[in-house]
Amino acid sequence: MRVTVDRELCVGSGACEMLAPDVFEVDDDGAVQVLQAEPDDTDAVRQAAQQCPTRALTIED
């Protein structure tokens, strides 16, 4: 699994960071950054992508 973020779509809601804090972090600019592009906790990452209000997260299997 590989996860990416479209920072232009991101509104910094923090849902992804709350669900997978080892993988996502909202930075000082208010947009999420991916800390692990190929994460181990795939369930949390998939849930984070589903919860993203702007669909800024993309998962490739």
Side-chain angles (χ1 to χ4, degrees):
M1 164 191 280
R2 182 163 181 79
V3 61
T4 57
V5 62
D6 183 335
R7 290 177 53 90
E8 292 192 24
L9 288 178
C10 180
V11 294
S13 73
C16 58
E17 184 178 25
M18 184 177 62
L19 292 165
D22 293 339
V23 179
F24 304 107
E25 179 179 72
V26 177
D27 63 18
D28 293 338
D29 294 333
V32 73
Q33 64 178 350
V34 177
L35 303 175
Q36 294 181 38
E38 296 181 11
D40 295 328
D41 190 357
T42 59
D43 290 336
V45 173
R46 288 185 194 284
Q47 188 176 11
Q50 291 173 346
Q51 297 293 324
C52 181
T54 61
R55 302 289 184 232
L57 301 175
T58 302
I59 295 175
E60 298 174 29
D61 289 312

